């Protein structure tokens, strides 16, 4: 297949992974993904920007052949994670004169992860440029999207930003550029929620740094490229802002119906008070959807039955995930049930202790909920609605 042209002299030569359904043995990929690699052919030198996940390196090789097998002078590494860097050793083998161009921190990580010899590297500083002849790459340090060494590369003459994971979406598509913004918005938000959200404040700084650049096209390393870059930049601005939505995220599970009855009652009470509820039955939920809901919500309420004296493991898992994703929620609470005792509240509270939230009085019930318990849930809904209104 012919390589896909982004602009004259710039080709997308990466691989589309239509069938992948899990990333990092953790993150669901309902729509597959892609590992984008870009070939930039200048008047004097040729650069390859990022590579592909090693199981698909044969696709990268085929695409480079289809592009006329140009000698690669520089392999630009924007991020050391192996879905982008893992095929660099193979490219260096095929192109013995090629150098890996990256920052100091990324170089150290590539030596550790891929055992690339030190003499194969050229280090670049923030805002340093590299001329390919009529095409000039400027490197912009954009740390913590989502590793500490991540950077972007700006192709000055074409006003094109290669952003690697930043602005990416796990989406296998035959479209080189975004064709359906609604679909890409969903995939990009899912991707942000799963790996970028903990670094919200760093990303804000990175967005501010990009304001120095006139950008026509953003070419990330997952999903299609953006020729309407305002669409994804304004979505990111919204996600990283401190603004929260009048929403409650309610992940729960129930063993014999008590916690479920409480979840039903709280859902109704919140709806009556004009609060949106996003409910997730953890026995069957998609972790990515839960992560996406956490991007905007003002409040998180965990619904947990007690088992073996502790919260049900599915709820403990959701609390742990919320704790590490560090959403911008401002309030949290816990509801649930127990048979004879236990430490459900204490355990869940410690799992979300990293969040900057005000904890609202939990409602824990012995056995099946009674009238007084439903009244306590109504009171919790009153408190949540009032807190949201006061924001
Ligand atoms: Fe797509 Fe962080 O690698």
């Amino acid at each position: 297949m012919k390589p896909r042209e982004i602009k004259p002299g710039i080709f997308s030569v990466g691989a589309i992974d239509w069938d992948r359904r899990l990333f990092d043995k953790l993150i669901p990929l309902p729509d597959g993904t892609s590992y984008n690699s870009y070939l930039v052919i200048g008047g004097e030198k040729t650069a390859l920007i990022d590579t592909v996940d090693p199981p698909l390196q044969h696709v990268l090789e085929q695409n480079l052949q289809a592009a006329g097998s140009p000698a690669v002078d520089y392999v630009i590494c924007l991020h050391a994670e192996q879905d982008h860097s893992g095929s660099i050793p193979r490219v260096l083998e095929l192109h013995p004169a090629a150098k890996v161009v990256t920052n100091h921190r990324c170089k150290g990580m590539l030596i550790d992860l891929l055992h690339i010899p030190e003499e194969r590297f050229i280090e670049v500083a923030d805002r340093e440029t590299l001329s390919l002849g009529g095409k000039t790459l400027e490197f912009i340090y954009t740390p913590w999207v989502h590793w500490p060494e991540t950077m972007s590369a700006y192709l000055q003459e074409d006003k094109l930003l290669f952003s690697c994971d930043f602005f990416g979406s796990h989406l296998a598509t035959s479209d080189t550029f975004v064709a359906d913004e609604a679909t890409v918005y969903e995939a990009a938000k899912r991707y942000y929620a799963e790996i970028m959200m903990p670094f919200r404040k760093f990303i804000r700084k990175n967005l501010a740094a990009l304001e120095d650049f006139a950008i026509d096209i953003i070419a990330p390393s997952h999903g299609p490229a953006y020729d309407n870059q305002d669409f994804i930049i304004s979505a990111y601005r919204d996600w990283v802002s401190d603004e929260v939505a009048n929403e409650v995220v309610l992940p729960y599970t129930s063993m014999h119906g008590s916690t479920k009855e409480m979840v039903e009652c709280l859902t109704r009470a919140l709806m009556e008070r004009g609060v949106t509820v996003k409910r997730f039955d953890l026995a069957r939920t998609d972790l990515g959807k839960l992560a996406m809901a956490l991007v905007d919500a003002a409040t998180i309420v965990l619904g947990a039955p007690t088992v073996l004296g502790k919260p049900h493991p599915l709820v403990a898992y959701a609390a742990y995930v919320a704790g590490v994703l560090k959403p911008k929620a401002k309030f949290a609470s816990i509801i649930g049930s127990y048979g004879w005792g236990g430490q459900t509240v204490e355990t869940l509270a410690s799992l979300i202790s990293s969040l900057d939230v005000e904890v609202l009085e939990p409602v824990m019930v012995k056995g099946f909920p009674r009238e007084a318990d439903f009244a306590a849930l109504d009171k919790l809904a009153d408190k949540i609605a009032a807190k949201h209104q006061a924001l």
Side-chain angles (χ1 to χ4, degrees):
M1 189 177 120
K2 276 176 29 181
R4 297 181 290 168
E5 190 175 64
I6 301 282
K7 284 191 85 174
I10 307 165
F11 301 93
S12 184
V13 291
I16 302 170
D17 199 341
W18 299 96
D19 300 324
R20 191 162 181 179
R21 286 295 174 267
L22 202 59
F23 199 86
D24 290 345
K25 296 285 187 280
L26 173 68
I27 296 168
L29 303 179
D31 303 306
T33 190
S34 65
Y35 319 107
N36 302 338
S37 171
Y38 299 99
L39 186 70
V40 182
I41 303 174
E44 293 152 20
K45 301 282 187 187
T46 294
L48 183 68
I49 297 180
D50 289 324
T51 64
V52 299
D53 210 26
L56 292 184
Q57 74 185 14
H58 62 282
V59 178
L60 173 64
E61 287 180 38
Q62 286 162 3
N63 287 338
L64 286 171
Q65 279 166 12
S69 299
V72 172
D73 300 291
Y74 304 117
V75 184
I76 314 291
C77 181
L78 301 177
H79 175 29
E81 194 168 9
Q82 292 92 326
D83 52 327
H84 310 293
S85 69
S87 297
I88 292 178
R90 177 63 180 152
V91 174
L92 294 181
E93 200 180 301
L94 293 170
H95 300 270
K99 296 282 191 187
V100 179
V101 178
T102 194
N103 62 62
H104 179 72
R105 195 158 193 178
C106 189
K107 171 181 154 183
M109 294 172 95
L110 291 175
I111 290 171
D112 289 342
L113 293 170
L114 300 171
H115 302 174
I116 296 172
E118 181 144 15
E119 62 272 17
R120 297 300 298 263
F121 286 92
I122 296 173
E123 281 187 33
V124 287
D126 188 26
R127 308 293 172 112
E128 191 171 334
T129 57
L130 177 72
S131 174
L132 307 178
K135 290 202 183 292
T136 311
L137 287 164
E138 180 172 352
F139 301 99
I140 311 164
Y141 283 17
T142 46
W144 294 109
V145 286
H146 58 122
W147 281 14
E149 87 301 358
T150 48
M151 65 177 186
S152 299
Y154 178 68
L155 191 55
Q156 293 177 343
E157 293 79 0
D158 294 280
K159 296 187 172 58
L160 195 160
L161 184 78
F162 298 102
S163 59
C164 202
D165 282 345
F166 197 14
F167 305 121
S169 61
H170 280 312
L171 186 63
T173 170
S174 57
D175 299 324
T176 304
F177 289 93
V178 172
D180 173 2
E181 288 189 348
T183 301
V184 177
Y185 179 91
E186 181 94 358
K189 185 173 187 181
R190 174 184 277 268
Y191 191 56
Y192 166 84
E194 289 162 340
I195 63 166
M196 303 283 177
M197 186 154 58
F199 311 111
R200 198 163 63 84
K201 292 183 179 160
F202 288 95
I203 295 171
R204 247 191 249 169
K205 285 189 195 159
N206 290 331
L207 289 171
L210 292 181
E211 286 171 11
D212 295 347
F213 298 85
I215 298 169
D216 283 346
I217 294 173
I218 294 177
S221 290
H222 296 289
Y226 303 88
D227 46 9
N228 171 17
Q229 81 293 347
D230 283 347
F231 149 65
I232 191 65
I233 288 178
S234 59
Y236 259 76
R237 284 206 180 109
D238 177 31
W239 300 334
V240 302
S241 78
D242 288 332
E243 295 295 311
V244 287
N246 180 22
E247 293 175 2
V248 169
V249 173
L250 181 38
Y252 74 97
T253 197
S254 191
M255 295 161 65
H256 299 291
S258 297
T259 300
K260 175 81 182 292
E261 197 62 27
M262 297 174 75
V263 165
E264 295 289 353
C265 172
L266 184 63
T267 302
R268 273 195 308 273
L270 288 166
M271 288 171 68
E272 283 165 11
R273 288 157 181 79
V275 179
T276 297
V277 182
K278 295 192 171 173
R279 254 168 69 161
F280 298 91
D281 176 352
L282 295 166
R284 57 175 176 234
T285 202
D286 163 351
L287 186 66
K289 284 205 163 188
L290 171 59
M292 283 169 72
L294 290 171
V295 170
D296 311 301
T299 298
I300 303 165
V301 178
L302 300 165
T306 301
V307 57
L308 301 172
K310 300 278 179 156
H312 192 288
L314 287 175
V315 187
Y317 180 61
Y320 172 80
V321 167
V324 295
L325 290 180
K326 295 201 177 81
K328 58 186 171 186
K330 302 201 183 299
F331 310 101
S333 191
I334 297 160
I335 63 172
S337 55
Y338 58 95
W340 52 90
Q343 296 171 308
T344 292
V345 168
E346 296 85 340
T347 308
L348 291 177
S350 83
L351 288 169
I352 58 168
S353 60
S354 58
L355 303 187
D356 188 14
V357 289
E358 178 185 343
V359 178
L360 308 177
E361 184 68 25
V363 181
M364 291 300 290
V365 168
K366 188 173 186 200
F368 198 78
R370 298 174 167 83
E371 282 311 308
D373 304 314
F374 293 127
L377 290 166
D378 276 342
K379 221 169 119 188
L380 176 59
D382 280 337
K383 177 70 82 61
I384 290 170
K387 291 280 183 189
H388 286 196
Q389 269 173 16
L391 285 172

